[in-house]
């Protein structure tokens, strides 16, 4: 059994995502990766998220030999509003990097299939879309000859945990080597490990042996998190479960496997589950150049749903692709701030909690080095006050245009002008 989590009040969504990302790299250029068995829809979905066929999608277990990376444009109504307001010649939206990793099979940790190479590809991404197949098809073979998402979840999770168990087997000696070097003692000595290290190691091992991702455990101390971050464990990465269903099941928002998948996820630390259908999304994407045809397709699907006797907002037919992109970005604790003017409107990606000088550095390192202040407007204030003007005059008149210093924590959707001074040479 995994270590028990202390009972707490329900965390807010932001706390949940911050907890999931606490072991990750502190960078603005993070990547999500699709992980799953062969022929579950990874390449197709990667293509859909990118809006173009960047990965070879074929009915062959190892058609994606090298990880394919695409950039998915982040759906962002605030950015769209700013672009429509200024109508500049240059418009640069935020994008999420997504890696299509070839399928794992049972025994991958020991080298089966394409084995350890793919596990290293998984280790190189910062978050995981765990894709499972919940649709039947005679045309698309299953590597295990039958459709069983629970078995597939067990297979992938087992392989990831087995790889983490292998990594954990090396961290004790690595920590002892660090202590010997730090204290200048002989390599033959057996230095004692700190209580924090032993606690972190024991909790991780208990989770991994129960086939539970390490990142789902809420009660690690800050000291334990700092140590675990250096363990190099795959299951510390944020993970989103994506269930690929048939078009019909997607439209009726039901599938015999969904309750079982929910139970399995809850028993393995919990997590976000997103049901979708590559079949539906591909049909919709194929009509992207004909908006009227797309509209007719959605109406046809709506009519099909009504014929099933299903009504209400919960059965509205729409693409899940925007939700997938936003969820992946949110799981990595990424957010946007904007720069807007007559020449360009751009969304810049930063991590949640970034201070103003570091945000300025995303635009140019000189901006961070010579940071003076940030002039900031909240997007909602701008939208409510600008009255069609391409500028901040009305926002300033209303007292909603702020000047912020070096300790300001950037908020999602800030519209910013950074003031900086880098005319002098940097002192050495």
């Amino acid at each position: 059994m995994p270590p028990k989590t202390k009972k707490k009040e329900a965390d807010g969504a932001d706390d949940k995502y911050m907890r999931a990302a606490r072991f990750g790299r502190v960078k603005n250029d993070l990547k999500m990766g699709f992980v799953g068995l062969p022929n579950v829809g990874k390449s197709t979905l990667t293509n859909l998220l990118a809006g173009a066929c960047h990965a070879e999608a074929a009915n062959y277990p190892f058609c994606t030999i090298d990880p394919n990376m695409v950039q998915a444009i982040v759906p962002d109504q605030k950015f769209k509003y700013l672009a429509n307001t200024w109508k500049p010649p240059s418009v640069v939206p935020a994008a999420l990097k997504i890696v299509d990793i070839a399928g794992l099979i049972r025994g991958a940790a020991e080298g089966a299939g394409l084995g350890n190479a793919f596990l290293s590809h998984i280790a190189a991404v910062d978050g995981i879309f765990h894709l499972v197949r919940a649709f039947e098809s005679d045309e698309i073979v299953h590597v295990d000859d039958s459709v069983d998402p629970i078995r597939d979840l067990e297979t992938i999770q087992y392989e990831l945990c087995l790889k983490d168990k292998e990594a954990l087997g090396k961290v004790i000696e690595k920590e002892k080597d660090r202590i010997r070097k730090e204290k200048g003692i002989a390599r033959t000595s057996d230095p004692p490990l700190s209580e924090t290290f032993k606690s972190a190691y024991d909790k991780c091992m208990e989770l991994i042996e129960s086939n539970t991702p390490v990142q789902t455990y809420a009660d690690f101390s800050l000291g334990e998190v700092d140590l675990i971050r250096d363990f190099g464990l795959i299951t510390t990465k944020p993970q989103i479960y994506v269930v690929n269903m048939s078009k019909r099941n997607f439209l009726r928002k039901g599938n015999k496997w969904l309750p079982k998948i929910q139970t399995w996820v809850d028993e393995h630390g919990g997590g976000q589950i997103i049901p979708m259908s590559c079949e539906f999304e591909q049909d919709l994407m194929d009509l992207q150049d004909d908006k009227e045809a797309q509209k007719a397709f959605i109406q046809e699907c709506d009519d099909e749903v009504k014929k099933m006797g299903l009504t209400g907002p919960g059965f509205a037919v729409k693409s899940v692709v925007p939700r997938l992109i936003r969820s992946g970005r949110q799981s990595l604790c990424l957010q946007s701030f904007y720069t807007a003017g007559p020449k360009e409107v751009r969304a810049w990606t930063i991590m949640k909690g970034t201070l103003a000088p570091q945000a300025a550095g995303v635009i140019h390192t000189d901006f961070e080095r010579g940071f003076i202040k940030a002039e900031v407007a909240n997007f909602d204030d701008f939208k409510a006050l600008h009255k069609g003007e391409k500028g901040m005059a009305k926002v300033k008149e209303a007292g909603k245009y702020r000047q912020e210093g070096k300790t300001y924590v950037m908020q999602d959707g800030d519209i910013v002008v950074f003031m900086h001074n880098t005319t002098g040479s940097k002192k050495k």
Side-chain angles (χ1 to χ4, degrees), residues 1 9 12 17 21 29 62-63 80 160-161 174 186 223 283 346:
M1 292 288 290
E9 293 181 11
Y17 291 122
D29 188 22
F62 304 112
C63 67
K80 187 176 180 181
L160 299 184
C161 286
K174 182 180 176 183
D283 288 347
R346 181 185 288 250

Side-chain angles (χ1 to χ4, degrees), residues 125-163:
V125 300
D126 303 285
I128 294 171
F129 284 122
H130 188 158
L131 183 62
V132 292
R133 174 177 170 175
F135 68 90
E136 300 281 351
S137 174
D138 293 334
E139 297 177 0
I140 303 175
V141 298
H142 192 289
V143 71
D144 290 325
D145 295 325
S146 63
V147 174
D148 185 342
I150 304 304
R151 177 198 60 210
D152 296 351
L153 285 164
E154 287 284 355
T155 296
I156 298 298
Q157 199 78 300
Y158 174 80
E159 294 300 327
L160 299 184
C161 286
L162 192 62
K163 194 66 177 175

Side-chain angles (χ1 to χ4, degrees), residues 306-321:
K306 288 174 184 175
K307 286 179 182 177
M308 298 178 197
L310 305 172
T311 59
F315 294 99
V317 178
K318 61 182 179 180
S319 173
V320 177
V321 166

Side-chain angles (χ1 to χ4, degrees), residues 19-20 71 83 108 111 113 151 153 155 176 180 185 245 253 255 270 284 302 347-348 414 416-417:
R19 188 173 76 224
Q71 294 208 90
R151 177 198 60 210
L153 285 164
T155 296
K176 288 183 177 181
R180 293 186 191 106
I185 56 181
M245 305 186 296
K253 303 294 188 288
N255 178 285
L284 186 63
D302 272 325
W348 302 88
D414 279 345
V416 191
V417 174

